Amino acid sequence: MTMIADAEALRTRIADRLSDARTRTGGLTDCLDEPDLVRQYSPLMSPLVWDLAHIANQEELWLLREVGGREPMHPEIDPLYNAFEHPRAQRPSLPLLQPAQARAYARQVRGRVLDLLGRVSFTTGALVADGFVFGMIAQHEQQHDETMLATHQLRHGEPVLTAAPPAGPPADALRLPAEVLVPGGTFTMGTSTEPWALDNERPGHLVPVAPFYLDTTPVSNAAYAGFIADGGYDEPRLWCAAGWDHRQQAGLTAPLFWQRDGTGQWLRRRFGVTEPVPPAEPVLHVSWYEADAYARWAGRRLPTEAEWEKAARHDPATGLSRRYPWGDADPGPAHANLGQRHLQPAPVGSYPDGAAPCGARQLIGDVWEWTASDFLPYPGFSAYPYREYSEVFFGSDYKVLRGGAFSADQVACRGTFRNWDLPVRRQIFCGFRTARSAGGLGGSSPRSVAEGIA
Ligand code: AVJ
Ligand code: FE
């Protein structure tokens, strides 16, 4: 392809990804009236109208000002939408733009961005090379769309979101082995080549991984209910010290949004609808502490981040790391449950076309998976283009989650993508799978996926 055709293809791709994000933002905000957009549903979340204007403000900052060299449109509002100046709990008391003003601001910014996109040459430096900063802004909006979906899940009131349920599991789901072997050896973790990878995914580097067994699928609701029924929440030996303190202080007894009906059956609230907990669906809305305790109960442990990524990306046939478990092709509807196409995870064992070379399924999509690892920089990390995306969060406070969920869009999900949160958090769309080291003696596992959801 010529350079000019390349640039045209890139413009189209950028415009499409920006437009996808805006469609989703609209879907999450047009369904609510003004009081519901301005209200705060939980101190953990911003009012939706804050996300709306923050999305526009970041787009203005990075695309119109940094790339386009324009003057600020409304400099006086910048501090209101700087996430570091005002914690979420305080945002409802700020003099925020009202919904109509926030929408108008977002529309104006986007119009100017599309003008700029038509003129930009992608050759004026690292920020625009391969369209990076445009991709970063599409990812940023989609990340806030995911946050807004979590706000919807916390909201009480009539349901306003609908989506088709995922298909039933494939015929082989129940016959899958409960765990798969990931052979030991070095693999390439992270990337130096994926054009829209964010700073914390870089650079690609070699990491040795000892052989281990990984659950074929995420842990199901039925398996998790087994942990509850066995007294897992009342057995301090299953919890790390900080986890037990938190379990006591927060009074945890089950995943967030679960409750028992009069007969002791588990129900859950999902986007305003209360329904029986589906046994075969991956468990959602558990904290890292709960995932860690479950794994200990199962005689297992959480996978490290490196183990997770090796299982998801390493191709033993070539020795190379793939972009996704299934290869390098962008995710399609047969590969993974992504993009808020469904508003719940698919049954464990779904998406055979998205399986990794090791045989693990649903590594991408369905539920974010807690890993054992703290959020740390890779060797050779350098903050780009701003320290507040990743660097200020590095350390032992945050745990890494991998793989994306039904709530995440494909532009912000890939084999190298790293998410992180505090180990107490569970309003995000998080679940987990477990692992055990191979080679040693001991370690238990059910024989099949079917046994795990019986
Ligand atoms: C990567 C999901 C942890 O929401 O705090 C949004 C993404 N960063 N705006 C977050 C983000 C700046 C971030 N997470
Ligand atoms: Fe943000």
Side-chain angles (χ1 to χ4, degrees):
M1 229 192 303
T2 66
M3 294 278 280
I4 290 169
D6 255 2
E8 279 316 306
L10 187 54
R11 283 192 182 93
T12 305
R13 179 172 147 71
I14 290 167
D16 287 349
R17 295 293 80 80
L18 289 173
S19 150
D20 289 349
R22 193 51 52 87
T23 301
R24 181 141 308 130
T25 302
L28 291 160
T29 51
D30 292 345
C31 53
L32 294 174
D33 57 20
E34 300 225 346
D36 274 0
L37 291 171
V38 171
R39 177 169 302 144
Q40 186 174 45
Y41 293 103
S42 156
L44 294 177
M45 311 307 282
S46 313
L48 291 165
V49 74
W50 185 91
D51 289 280
L52 197 53
H54 167 79
I55 286 167
N57 189 240
Q58 287 287 303
E59 185 167 325
E60 190 208 337
L61 274 167
W62 285 104
L63 302 185
L64 298 183
R65 300 190 212 174
E66 282 295 325
V67 178
R70 292 225 189 194
E71 290 303 310
M73 289 164 67
H74 310 287
E76 71 287 357
I77 68 169
D78 287 350
L80 299 176
Y81 298 105
N82 179 334
F84 289 87
E85 286 196 36
H86 306 286
R88 285 181 179 177
Q90 289 174 13
R91 291 174 192 166
S93 52
L94 300 173
L96 301 177
L97 297 185
Q98 291 304 296
Q101 298 172 307
R103 287 188 175 112
Y105 175 42
R107 234 185 348 260
Q108 270 179 4
V109 171
R110 180 55 59 86
R112 295 177 190 190
V113 163
L114 294 179
D115 287 346
L116 172 70
L117 181 59
R119 292 182 277 109
V120 74
S121 71
F122 304 117
T123 57
T124 53
L127 208 51
V128 292
D130 299 314
F132 169 78
V133 73
F134 292 91
M136 180 183 89
I137 287 300
Q139 293 181 68
H140 180 258
E141 180 160 354
Q142 287 285 3
Q143 288 179 315
H144 277 274
D145 291 342
E146 188 172 8
T147 300
M148 289 196 281
L149 190 68
T151 305
H152 271 267
Q153 170 60 13
L154 284 161
R155 164 179 182 272
H156 288 269
E158 286 305 299
V160 292
L161 299 176
T162 51
D172 70 347
L174 296 183
R175 292 194 306 271
L176 293 171
E179 60 180 3
V180 295
L181 175 66
V182 181
T186 293
F187 86 109
T188 300
M189 184 173 188
T191 177
S192 302
T193 54
E194 182 72 29
W196 290 2
L198 302 174
D199 60 0
N200 64 53
E201 299 164 68
R202 301 170 184 271
H205 58 292
L206 293 174
V207 176
V209 176
F212 68 102
Y213 288 96
L214 182 67
D215 289 343
T216 308
T217 72
V219 170
S220 68
N221 285 324
Y224 196 84
F227 163 70
I228 303 175
D230 198 38
Y233 278 90
D234 300 315
E235 184 46 77
R237 280 175 311 153
L238 296 175
W239 299 69
C240 68
W244 183 250
D245 285 350
H246 175 66
R247 176 257 169 267
Q248 295 288 80
Q249 179 249 311
L252 303 184
T253 55
L256 187 59
F257 307 116
W258 284 31
Q259 63 183 81
R260 287 189 200 271
D261 72 5
T263 70
Q265 294 303 299
W266 285 115
L267 304 176
R268 68 165 179 198
R269 182 165 58 83
R270 182 176 66 85
F271 300 112
V273 177
T274 298
E275 59 191 20
V277 167
E281 212 176 82
V283 68
L284 253 186
H285 301 302
V286 288
S287 61
W288 185 90
Y289 290 133
E290 289 164 295
D292 176 64
Y294 173 97
R296 210 168 281 114
W297 171 77
R300 300 169 68 83
R301 57 177 176 78
L302 294 177
T304 66
E305 185 182 11
E307 286 174 335
W308 189 97
E309 186 168 324
K310 183 170 185 188
R313 299 186 61 212
H314 181 65
D315 179 358
T318 61
L320 301 177
S321 288
R322 300 170 160 190
R323 296 176 70 213
Y324 298 98
W326 54 87
D328 292 341
D330 285 343
H335 291 126
N337 181 5
L338 285 171
Q340 302 183 22
R341 196 164 60 239
H342 311 297
L343 290 176
Q344 64 199 96
V348 295
S350 295
Y351 299 104
D353 293 352
C358 65
R361 293 193 185 176
Q362 295 167 294
L363 285 159
I364 297 291
D366 288 304
V367 295
W368 285 104
E369 299 182 17
W370 287 113
T371 71
S373 302
D374 293 341
F375 184 47
L376 296 173
Y378 292 159
F381 169 84
S382 97
Y384 190 81
Y386 67 117
R387 288 187 64 245
E388 291 76 14
Y389 182 74
S390 310
E391 192 175 20
V392 300
F393 297 99
F394 287 144
S396 55
D397 288 350
Y398 291 87
K399 298 294 184 189
V400 173
L401 302 107
R402 288 303 203 100
F406 66 88
S407 48
D409 187 80
Q410 59 161 287
V411 78
C413 181
R414 51 195 160 260
T416 55
F417 191 91
R418 306 172 76 197
N419 194 3
W420 64 92
D421 216 326
L422 297 170
V424 298
R425 288 289 183 254
R426 50 188 205 160
Q427 87 283 1
I428 56 173
F429 299 97
C430 50
F432 63 101
R433 73 180 77 207
T434 70
R436 67 180 171 108
S437 300
L441 293 173
S444 58
S445 79
R447 284 179 303 276
S448 67
V449 163
E451 195 176 314
I453 62 172

